[in-house]
Amino acid sequence: MSDRSWRLSPFLFIHGLLIPMGLILVAQLLRSSGWDDRLTALFFDPVSMAFPASDWPALEAWGHHGAKTAVVCVWVGLLLAAVVAPKLPRLAPHRKLLWLTVAAMGLGPTLVTLLKDINAHDCPWSLKAFGGANVYSSEWFVPRSRAGHCFPGGHAAGGFSLIALAFAAAALGWTTRARGLLVLAVAAGVAFSAVRILQGAHFASHNLWSAAIDWAVAAWILAPLMPHGLDATFRRATRTPPPQA
């Protein structure tokens, strides 16, 4: 969009505000209702006082480290494309979009990492109820030495950061691809989240916060490039032609 009308666009309202706020609301409901703990308890063995999945080598290698590496490779690929874009005729017209996609994909997980260092939320495996030594705390703005280094979920943030690719495709007018990439990004984020919930590393609410942050960041960064008439489901608005005289 060439002017500032993007600030009032349906795309930004839905993806930059409504969906992130909805995700945060669900996260808060899970935490306050106790369902966060109940869900985590499904994967905890009270006999060994541990999460069995945390010792599964394949899950750690592929579901945790391998998946994270794959997302980093996608981000590095975008970065390289942005750097060489001026020298490649096919990429040159999209240089701005490439740089904004790099920023959108990287900023969300970066914010999540920064937030982990200023709050006392612990990982499930650090709490007494799940074999750890700590008592649950929801305190914010604590010294780094007291931070839980767990909230929001970092691994989930990597998966949900792929939402930026869907928004980039929408900015190019590739609406069908954009919808497919959005489904892929959400599926990746859910899968990444599930791995860490199984391992006892995060509560579900931690990962919903990560999704909200990634979603909002990507929407706000890329909204100015969205075509006029693009609705929240990546469909171009159709206008009824005026009646013929």
Side-chain angles (χ1 to χ4, degrees):
M1 299 181 182
S2 58
D3 54 27
R4 298 184 182 274
S5 63
W6 58 268
R7 293 180 177 177
L8 301 176
S9 67
F11 170 84
L12 190 58
F13 175 71
I14 296 295
H15 294 284
L17 294 174
L18 196 59
I19 290 177
M21 290 173 63
L23 290 168
I24 290 173
L25 177 60
V26 174
Q28 293 302 99
L29 288 174
L30 282 174
R31 189 68 248 165
S32 62
S33 66
W35 276 103
D36 234 4
D37 294 320
R38 294 187 187 100
L39 179 61
T40 296
L42 294 175
F43 311 106
F44 177 70
D45 179 13
V47 176
S48 64
M49 293 297 289
F51 291 88
S54 64
D55 294 326
W56 295 351
L59 188 64
E60 179 66 13
W62 297 103
H64 186 200
H65 296 294
K68 181 163 55 178
T69 300
V71 171
V72 171
C73 287
V74 171
W75 184 83
V76 171
L78 284 171
L79 178 61
L80 291 175
V83 170
V84 303
K87 300 179 180 180
L88 299 176
R90 293 186 65 180
L91 292 180
H94 308 303
R95 186 183 181 190
K96 182 178 181 180
L97 176 61
L98 284 168
W99 279 115
L100 288 180
T101 305
V102 168
M105 192 173 170
L107 183 57
T110 299
L111 289 176
V112 166
T113 299
L114 294 174
L115 289 174
K116 287 158 73 88
D117 290 338
I118 62 171
N119 69 81
H121 296 67
D122 279 304
C123 303
W125 59 28
S126 298
L127 300 175
K128 288 183 177 180
F130 298 108
N134 299 338
V135 176
Y136 177 79
S137 172
S138 59
E139 193 175 354
W140 277 88
F141 305 111
V142 300
R144 186 180 175 87
S145 59
R146 289 186 51 212
H149 307 291
C150 193
F151 170 83
H155 194 50
F160 287 116
S161 72
L162 297 173
I163 289 169
L165 301 181
F167 293 167
L172 289 170
W174 301 345
T175 54
T176 300
R177 294 179 185 178
R179 291 193 293 271
L181 284 168
L182 185 61
V183 171
L184 177 64
V186 171
V190 170
F192 284 26
S193 300
V195 167
R196 299 304 272 164
I197 292 173
L198 281 169
Q199 293 180 316
H202 289 292
F203 289 109
S205 61
H206 293 186
N207 300 322
L208 286 171
W209 269 90
S210 298
I213 292 169
D214 280 353
W215 212 304
V217 165
W220 279 92
I221 288 178
L222 290 167
L225 299 186
M226 292 298 163
H228 283 287
L230 185 79
D231 71 12
T233 58
F234 308 141
R235 290 185 174 87
R236 297 301 297 272
T238 57
R239 294 179 174 84
T240 303
Q244 299 294 323

